[in-house]
């Protein structure tokens, strides 16, 4: 919390400066514009809370905005309730609407999510028109106007809007710095990886849309009081949703500053054009927003804030790079790796994973057929087989990405078949991916921390777990680097650390050695061996045997979805069926 | 007339209206399905392309004074055909200069981020188009009146005395033209080399490139063709429906509803999808107030999309 407050310092400077400037503005129209900048900035932050962090683009934030606005005005007109009361109520309505809309709509991804979100406010628009509210105004109050949030002095609204913005910035900052924000960013960058790292993605998305809807509802409520007259089109219309999205994207998504920068640029321009030219160019505002979006997407798709930040970081990165290269060049060349078979180890009797008769077909293709095996605690099990043998599918069945057609997966005796990935992760099954799934924009440290939240009760504990996991894989030195900038080997190790941070008993490693040179792969092998010594059970997929022979305790060979051979490395590599699966019948005779 | 007869008449009238307007919606959806099905691009501006088609017909009639030459009756249809190449060029240019910057083969590898850019870009195009149209054409409702739009063939009386069916002539002509265009389009896609390369590009852009197909060009053709077809449908609507610059918003969700319903990637499917939406819309007016007509469509769209959660892109599980 303290850190959150400290990070607000730039915002406080901004707020004081902006309000000081606002105090000199006496023209009531310019006062309104200054307030509107803050209103749309806040609305942009609301959009950002959902779409910026989770990456699910919403074209429907007008739903929450409009509901807040109508609730506030109608409550005053019919029941005489003050906007001071309605503002938090509107936030509640927004949150509720968010959850109600989110529940069905989060089943959709990408395109369909965006389209569906567009349909909600348009539906509401027609419903409100049908209900007979073509236009509704806030009743003017003569006595006790302040009680109804009515002030003759326009600057009061600017101050109120700033307070609202301040609260929302505080909330956003807090979200950003806790597991809430981390989970959302993880979802955005890679939903499957997030699930596998133990994040209940649906639950976090719902929280996110609830907070987002609450902010939008409150902003809508304030907007109605500020503007005094609302129509279904002015609060539910597409331009409203577009405005939230535009200011956020223009400034920079997934940042506190983005929507503020975007609003500060766009709102004055659009409003001024509207005021100057609106009478004979009625759509000028929309054209400006449209052009802003088009230009932005083509020139700086992530917004001004990130463009500048990336630019600055690149310059910093250029200075840092050469030293790193020198270091690795100076490193001792290690001895060439020869596949040495390792002596058999003593293994625990305890069975941690038992797979019974598991099967999966895709249409007519039997990807995995009646595979059964069991794994002792602390064992390193290698699953090998040619391309298309069903190795990755088997993993997907084990960690819940795909549902098996039949069979059981027992983890410590408990049948976990048909559970979601995050549940399996919590039960102790961690995994890495064949195609790496880093959260590219996050630091190595934060990538790992996402995994740490699975079992950590507090931020401190998560931090502790993260540090330990990074040390286990020897990445502590580059923990602050951005994941997008590190080498393939370090990425593999980072994914390993992320899986480890979830404190799994069983680790599924999907082609962790793929694409690595022999030296690099030796480093990774050493780490894996170290892990096994600490009592982790490891199952590793590879299709090359070389590096595996010296690593694993047992092999499992799959071909065409079937388990063909199981046994210690020594036996398996000389097995005729294995040679046949790899090289074809012709060669098995010669071998 | 008895209660039953009134009901029968209402239902039959809605059926007829639904079929005719549904055919035009079907054409609209066929245009969208070319863009959505082949390029996998969600185009928010599709409704505005349709709006452009409407104004194209409107101005063609005024500017060229063609009505004086050939008479009111056929001139709108001549306008629809005559403006089609221009609208094709418009779509081509939009793709060439804007859409291709964020879509196509370069972005097929970028899972979420590529789509995100493209969604927002088309939203920008939509905003510029309908607001720009308001500046250029004014916010008023306009319409294209022809002798056909105010005359009808009368069926009946049926069932003895009462039941009369009024079949608007302009709607029928538009519906027939729509159906003909869709059949023509389907035939071209099925038989021509162009159709083959479009289907290949839709199925697997990467592989399509490796066998020497210029995927970006295929996309551009699909986009231009899709723009043209939808705009033509817009033009055919003008004889019966007054329009304004923001009309596209009302139709864009409707079009997606039709395409999704009909199954992504199938032109004929999209046509039937649009037809179904037209029928639902017309039948809904029997029980619901007209203001809620569009709301009904949106709710139906949500139901269609939400009840088939895995999406419609075939493979629901990415390769891990």
């Amino acid at each position: 919390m303290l850190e959150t407050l400290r990070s607000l310092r730039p915002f406080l400077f901004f707020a004081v400066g902006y309000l000081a400037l606002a105090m000199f503005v006496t023209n009531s129209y310019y006062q309104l514009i200054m307030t509107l900048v803050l209103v749309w900035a806040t609305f942009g932050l609301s959009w950002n809370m959902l779409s910026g962090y989770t990456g699910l683009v919403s074209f429907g934030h007008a739903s929450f905005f409009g509901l807040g606005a109508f609730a506030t005005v109608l409550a005053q007109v019919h029941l005489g309730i003050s906007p001071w009361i309605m503002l938090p109520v509107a936030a509640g309505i927004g949150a509720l609407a968010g959850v109600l809309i989110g529940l069905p709509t989060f089943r959709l991804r990408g395109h369909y999510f965006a389209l569906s979100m567009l349909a909600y406010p348009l539906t509401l628009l027609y419903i409100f028109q049908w209900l007979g509210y073509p236009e509704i105004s806030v009743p003017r109050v003569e006595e006790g106007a302040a009680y109804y949030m009515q002030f003759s002095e326009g600057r009061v609204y600017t101050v109120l809007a700033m307070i609202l913005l301040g609260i929302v910035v505080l909330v956003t900052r807090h979200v950003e710095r806790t597991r809430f924000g981390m989970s959302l960013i993880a979802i955005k960058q890679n939903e499957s990886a997030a699930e596998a790292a133990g994040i209940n993605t649906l639950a976090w998305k719902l929280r996110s849309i609830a907070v987002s809807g609450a902010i939008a509802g409150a902003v809508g409520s304030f907007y109605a009081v500020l503007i005094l007259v609302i129509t279904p089109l002015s609060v539910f219309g597409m331009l409203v949703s577009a405005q939230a999205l535009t200011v956020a994207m223009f400034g920079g998504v997934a940042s506190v500053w983005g929507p503020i920068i975007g609003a500060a640029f766009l709102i004055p321009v659009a409003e001024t054009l509207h005021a100057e030219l609106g009478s004979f160019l009625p759509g000028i505002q929309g054209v400006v927003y449209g052009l802003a979006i088009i230009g932005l997407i083509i020139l700086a798709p992530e917004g001004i804030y990130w463009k500048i930040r990336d630019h600055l970081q690149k310059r910093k990165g250029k200075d840092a790079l050469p030293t790193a290269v020198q270091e690795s060049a100076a490193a001792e060349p290690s001895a060439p790796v020869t596949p040495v078979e390792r002596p058999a180890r003593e293994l625990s009797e305890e069975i941690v994973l038992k797979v019974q008769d598991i099967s999966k077909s895709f249409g007519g293709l039997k990807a995995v057929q009646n595979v059964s095996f069991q794994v002792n605690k602390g064992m390193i099990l290698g699953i090998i087989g040619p391309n298309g043998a069903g190795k990755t599918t088997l993993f997907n069945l084990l960690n819940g990405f795909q549902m098996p057609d039949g069979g059981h997966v027992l983890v410590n005796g408990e049948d976990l078949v048909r559970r979601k990935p995050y549940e399996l992760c919590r039960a102790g099954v961690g995994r890495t991916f064949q195609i790496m799934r880093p959260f590219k924009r996050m630091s190595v440290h934060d990538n790992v921390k996402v995994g740490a939240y699975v079992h950590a009760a507090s931020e401190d504990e998560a931090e502790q777990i993260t540090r330990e996991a990074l040390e286990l894989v020897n990445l502590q030195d580059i923990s602050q680097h951005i994941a997008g900038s590190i080498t393939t080997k370090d990425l593999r190790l980072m994914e390993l650390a992320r899986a480890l941070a979830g404190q799994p008993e069983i680790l599924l490693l999907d082609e962790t050695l793929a694409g690595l040179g022999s030296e690099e792969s030796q480093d990774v092998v050493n780490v894996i061996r170290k892990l096994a010594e600490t009592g982790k059970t490891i199952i590793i997929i590879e299709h090359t045997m070389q590096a595996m022979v010296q690593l694993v305790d047992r092999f499992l060979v799959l071909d065409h979805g079937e388990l063909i051979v199981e046994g210690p490395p020594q036996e398996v590599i000389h097995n005729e069926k294995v040679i046949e699966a790899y090289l074809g019948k012709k060669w098995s005779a010669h071998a | 007339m008895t209660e039953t007869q009134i009901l029968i008449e209402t239902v039959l009238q809605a059926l007829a209206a639904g079929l005719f307007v549904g055919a035009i919606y079907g054409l609209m959806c066929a245009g969208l399905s070319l863009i959505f099905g082949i390029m996998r691009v969600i185009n928010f501006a599709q409704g505005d392309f349709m709006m452009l088609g409407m104004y194209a017909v409107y101005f063609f009639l005024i500017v060229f004074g063609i009505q004086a030459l050939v008479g009111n009756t056929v001139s709108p249809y001549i306008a629809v055909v005559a403006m089609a190449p221009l609208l094709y060029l418009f779509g081509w240019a939009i793709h060439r200069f804007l859409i291709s910057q964020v879509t196509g083969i370069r972005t097929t590898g970028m899972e979420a981020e590529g789509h995100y850019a493209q969604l927002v870009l088309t939203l920008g195009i939509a905003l510029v188009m309908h607001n720009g149209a308001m500046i250029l054409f004014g916010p008023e409702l306009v319409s294209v009146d022809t002798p056909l739009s105010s005359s009808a063939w009368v069926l009946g009386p049926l069932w003895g005395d009462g039941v009369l069916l009024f079949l608007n002539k302009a709607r029928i002509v538009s519906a027939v033209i729509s159906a003909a265009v869709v059949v023509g389009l389907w035939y071209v896609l099925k038989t021509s080399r162009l159709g083959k390369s479009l289907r290949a590009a839709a199925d697997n852009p990467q592989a399509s490139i490796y066998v020497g197909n210029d995927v970006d060009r295929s996309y551009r053709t699909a986009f231009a063709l899709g723009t043209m077809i939808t705009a033509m449908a817009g033009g055919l609507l003008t004889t019966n429906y007054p329009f304004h610059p923001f009309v596209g918003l009302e139709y864009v969700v409707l079009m997606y509803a039709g395409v999704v319903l009909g199954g992504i990637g199938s032109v004929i499917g999209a046509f039937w999808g649009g037809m179904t939406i037209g029928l639902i819309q017309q039948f809904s007016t029997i029980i619901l107030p007209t203001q809620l007509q569009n709301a009904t469509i949106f709710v139906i769209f949500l139901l269609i999309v939400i009840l088939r959660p895995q999406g419609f892109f075939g493979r629901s599980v990415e390769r891990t």
Side-chain angles (χ1 to χ4, degrees):
Chain A
M1 201 63 206
L2 203 73
E3 246 183 83
T4 306
L5 286 176
R6 198 172 307 140
S7 74
L8 285 176
R9 217 182 297 158
F11 176 74
L12 288 178
F13 282 125
F14 161 77
V16 170
Y18 192 88
L19 289 177
L21 184 69
M23 290 309 131
F24 290 106
V25 177
T26 47
N27 175 312
S28 66
Y29 179 69
Y30 290 121
Q31 285 173 348
L32 180 66
I33 291 185
M34 288 206 79
T35 312
L36 282 177
V37 167
L38 302 176
V39 165
W40 293 115
T42 317
F43 192 35
L45 279 169
S46 151
W47 182 86
N48 192 43
M49 177 67 66
L50 175 68
S51 302
Y53 292 114
T54 65
L56 290 158
V57 186
S58 159
F59 288 98
H61 261 57
S63 312
F64 317 125
F65 185 90
L67 285 173
F70 265 99
T72 306
V73 180
L74 289 177
Q76 190 180 340
V77 171
H78 295 297
L79 308 167
I81 299 175
S82 155
W84 292 108
I85 297 167
M86 283 313 291
L87 196 112
V89 173
I93 294 173
L96 184 69
V99 173
L100 289 179
I101 287 178
L103 269 175
T105 319
F106 281 142
R107 298 169 69 174
L108 311 170
R109 286 193 194 181
H111 291 118
Y112 285 109
F113 180 82
L115 260 181
S116 309
M117 288 301 283
L118 179 70
Y120 292 106
L122 293 178
T123 308
L124 286 168
L125 192 155
Y126 288 115
I127 290 176
F128 273 84
Q129 271 176 355
W130 168 69
L131 287 173
Y133 297 114
E135 182 177 299
I136 184 160
S137 32
V138 176
R140 269 299 191 190
V141 183
E142 295 301 326
E143 266 173 57
Y147 176 72
Y148 283 100
M149 218 189 267
Q150 292 180 7
F151 306 96
S152 51
E153 174 55 61
R155 281 170 283 195
V156 178
Y157 291 108
T158 314
V159 175
L160 288 178
M162 187 57 89
I163 293 171
L164 189 62
L165 176 62
I167 294 170
V168 172
V169 167
L170 191 71
V171 170
T172 308
R173 269 286 183 222
H174 185 68
V175 166
E176 249 184 7
R177 290 178 169 261
T178 55
R179 71 169 71 190
F180 193 158
M182 286 275 218
S183 305
L184 298 185
I185 294 173
I187 290 170
K188 174 180 181 175
Q189 305 208 345
N190 199 317
E191 195 160 344
S192 308
E195 277 268 335
I199 293 170
N200 182 349
T201 52
L202 178 64
W204 285 112
K205 284 190 224 165
L206 281 174
R207 272 171 225 165
S208 156
I209 201 174
V211 175
S212 179
I215 300 170
V219 178
S221 167
F222 182 76
Y223 178 80
V225 179
L226 180 72
I227 296 293
L228 294 168
V229 181
I230 57 170
T231 66
L233 190 67
S234 77
V235 294
F236 286 117
M238 184 163 153
L239 195 57
V240 179
S241 302
Q243 224 156 332
L245 172 151
T246 314
V247 294
M249 291 208 47
F250 192 84
V253 284
S255 72
V256 170
W257 285 105
I260 300 176
I261 296 171
F265 267 101
L266 289 174
I267 304 298
V269 174
E271 285 293 331
T272 313
L273 283 175
H274 182 60
E276 299 288 326
L277 309 171
S279 51
F280 56 96
L281 297 179
I284 191 72
Q285 227 175 342
V287 173
V288 170
Y289 286 122
L291 289 176
I293 298 178
I294 295 174
L296 183 78
I297 283 295
I298 289 176
L299 299 174
E302 298 216 43
I304 294 175
Y305 178 80
W306 294 111
K307 184 97 177 164
I308 294 171
R309 219 186 83 142
D310 282 359
H311 189 71
L312 292 177
Q313 281 201 340
K314 230 175 247 164
R315 281 168 100 188
K316 243 175 35 190
K318 255 183 208 148
D319 299 339
L321 202 64
T323 50
V325 173
Q326 274 166 10
E327 262 171 45
S328 67
E332 283 280 305
S334 57
V337 188
T338 40
V340 189
E341 287 156 29
R342 40 193 292 251
R345 293 191 299 154
E346 282 295 310
L347 285 171
S348 152
E349 294 287 301
E350 196 186 333
I351 306 285
V352 284
L353 176 72
K354 199 167 175 181
V355 177
Q356 292 174 334
D357 266 337
I358 204 160
S359 298
K360 175 78 183 175
S361 314
F362 299 108
L365 174 74
K366 288 176 182 154
V368 173
Q369 300 182 56
N370 303 324
V371 170
S372 304
F373 61 94
Q374 53 187 33
V375 188
N376 296 53
K377 190 176 164 69
M379 182 194 255
I380 305 181
L381 175 73
I383 299 182
I384 54 172
N387 273 329
K391 302 182 299 286
T392 295
T393 306
L394 180 61
F395 265 20
N396 286 346
L397 297 176
L398 294 185
N399 96 314
F401 271 165
Q402 286 167 353
M403 298 294 161
D405 301 330
H408 299 277
V409 177
L410 285 89
V411 178
N412 286 323
E414 195 189 345
D415 195 353
L416 290 176
V417 84
R418 292 178 190 284
R419 297 292 179 84
K420 291 233 158 110
Y422 74 90
E423 292 174 303
L424 274 144
C425 177
R426 287 179 191 177
V429 183
R431 82 170 281 181
T432 66
F433 299 94
Q434 179 183 352
I435 298 160
M436 286 176 287
R437 299 184 163 188
F439 306 129
K440 277 189 197 141
R441 271 189 175 277
M442 290 158 88
S443 68
V444 171
H445 172 274
D446 287 354
N447 262 278
V448 176
K449 199 171 174 185
V450 167
Y453 283 123
V454 179
H455 289 292
S458 67
E459 286 293 316
D460 289 341
E461 202 185 334
E463 196 59 41
Q464 176 71 23
I465 295 174
T466 307
R467 227 172 301 134
E468 285 168 10
L470 283 169
E471 271 168 34
L472 265 174
V473 302
N474 298 324
L475 283 184
Q476 61 273 45
D477 295 338
I478 58 161
S479 67
Q480 290 313 317
H481 289 215
I482 298 297
S485 71
I486 63 177
T487 64
T488 308
K489 183 195 84 179
D490 289 342
L491 278 175
R492 293 278 183 202
L493 288 173
M494 185 190 82
E495 291 217 323
L496 197 56
R498 188 170 68 201
L500 279 176
Q503 303 184 312
E505 271 185 79
I506 306 165
L507 252 181
L508 310 178
L509 307 179
D510 194 349
E511 298 205 13
T512 295
L513 305 177
L516 298 181
S518 61
E519 261 173 64
E520 294 170 319
S521 105
Q522 190 58 43
D523 289 348
V524 179
V525 163
N526 289 340
V527 169
I528 295 171
R529 209 176 265 163
K530 199 163 82 185
L531 292 176
E533 274 154 25
T534 63
K536 301 266 185 227
T537 307
I538 291 164
I539 306 180
I540 178 166
I541 292 179
E542 275 301 326
H543 58 222
T544 58
M545 261 193 243
Q546 208 192 21
M548 298 274 278
V549 172
Q550 41 159 346
L551 179 65
V552 302
D553 299 304
R554 266 181 101 74
F555 268 130
L556 211 93
V557 186
L558 289 181
D559 190 27
H560 294 109
E562 277 179 291
L563 177 59
I564 54 171
V565 178
E566 190 191 351
Q570 200 54 42
E571 264 172 47
V572 168
I573 55 172
H574 298 298
N575 186 297
E576 214 164 276
K577 273 194 196 166
V578 177
I579 298 166
E580 193 182 304
Y582 267 87
L583 301 173
K585 262 204 179 100
K586 201 171 85 186
W587 292 97
S588 62
H590 299 285
Chain B
M1 247 166 74
T2 63
E3 292 270 323
T4 337
Q5 280 175 326
I6 293 174
L7 184 68
I8 289 175
E9 189 177 293
T10 321
V11 169
L12 284 178
Q13 200 68 56
L15 178 70
L19 283 175
F20 299 141
V21 79
I24 307 175
Y25 289 175
L27 183 63
M28 234 181 253
C29 293
L32 177 64
S33 85
L34 280 176
I35 292 177
F36 191 36
I38 291 175
M39 302 174 58
R40 304 287 143 89
V41 162
I42 286 243
N43 178 20
F44 279 113
Q46 195 75 13
D48 298 290
F49 291 167
M50 191 207 75
M51 177 269 296
L52 203 66
M54 293 175 136
Y55 278 97
V57 167
Y58 180 71
F59 283 104
F60 186 84
L61 294 182
I62 292 177
V63 173
F64 293 95
I66 195 155
Q67 273 163 301
L69 250 125
V70 293
N72 279 333
T73 315
V74 290
S75 53
Y77 309 110
I78 291 178
V80 167
V81 176
M83 296 308 279
L86 276 181
L87 293 160
Y88 181 92
L89 278 182
F90 178 81
W92 188 92
I94 290 275
H95 185 274
R96 170 69 185 78
F97 297 108
L98 298 173
I99 308 284
S100 66
Q101 307 282 322
V102 294
T103 57
I105 201 68
R106 271 189 298 151
T107 48
T108 39
M110 302 158 60
E111 265 305 310
E113 281 167 38
H115 294 160
Y116 182 75
Q118 145 316 98
L119 277 171
V120 178
L121 176 67
T122 59
L123 178 78
I125 296 172
L127 282 173
V128 171
M129 281 185 71
H130 60 244
N131 287 293
M134 190 154 82
I135 294 174
L136 290 176
F137 311 142
E140 304 81 18
L141 268 180
V142 293
S143 56
V144 173
D145 287 318
T146 77
L148 289 184
S149 30
S150 48
S151 63
W153 282 295
V154 183
L155 267 189
L158 308 164
W159 288 280
D161 52 348
V163 181
L164 283 176
L165 270 186
F166 292 91
L167 307 177
N168 183 294
K169 288 181 187 168
R171 279 188 186 178
I172 294 179
V173 174
S174 291
V176 170
I177 294 176
S178 297
V181 173
V182 168
V183 170
L185 181 68
W186 169 78
Y187 184 77
V188 167
L189 290 180
K190 200 178 143 117
T191 55
S192 71
R193 198 188 146 84
L194 168 74
K196 220 175 261 175
S197 67
L198 289 185
R199 262 176 290 138
D203 193 46
N204 189 336
Q206 204 77 49
S208 184
I209 280 195
Y210 295 156
V211 297
N213 187 350
D214 185 347
V215 169
D216 277 331
R217 217 183 106 207
S218 299
Y219 281 169
R220 193 158 300 149
T221 311
F223 195 89
L225 209 55
T227 304
M228 183 187 86
I229 298 283
T230 299
M232 285 174 78
L236 290 171
L237 270 181
T238 53
T239 50
N240 284 86
Y241 297 87
F243 50 96
H244 54 87
F246 280 68
V247 75
L249 277 181
E250 291 165 20
Y251 285 93
V252 71
V253 177
L254 180 152
M255 274 189 257
Y256 280 99
V259 171
V260 172
L261 192 65
I264 309 288
S266 150
V267 167
I268 292 292
F271 178 79
W272 291 121
M275 174 73 81
T276 313
I277 298 294
L279 285 167
I280 293 173
Q281 187 194 45
Q282 293 304 319
F283 278 114
S284 77
T285 54
I286 299 177
I287 37 174
L288 289 171
T290 6
Q291 288 128 303
L292 289 187
Q293 213 180 50
N294 283 318
T296 320
I297 301 274
F298 297 154
V299 172
I300 288 165
F301 168 73
L302 289 171
L303 287 177
I304 295 169
V305 180
I306 289 165
L307 292 179
R308 294 197 50 188
Q310 298 314 321
F312 304 80
F313 292 157
R315 277 176 68 155
S316 61
V317 180
E318 322 157 51
R319 180 144 176 92
T320 48

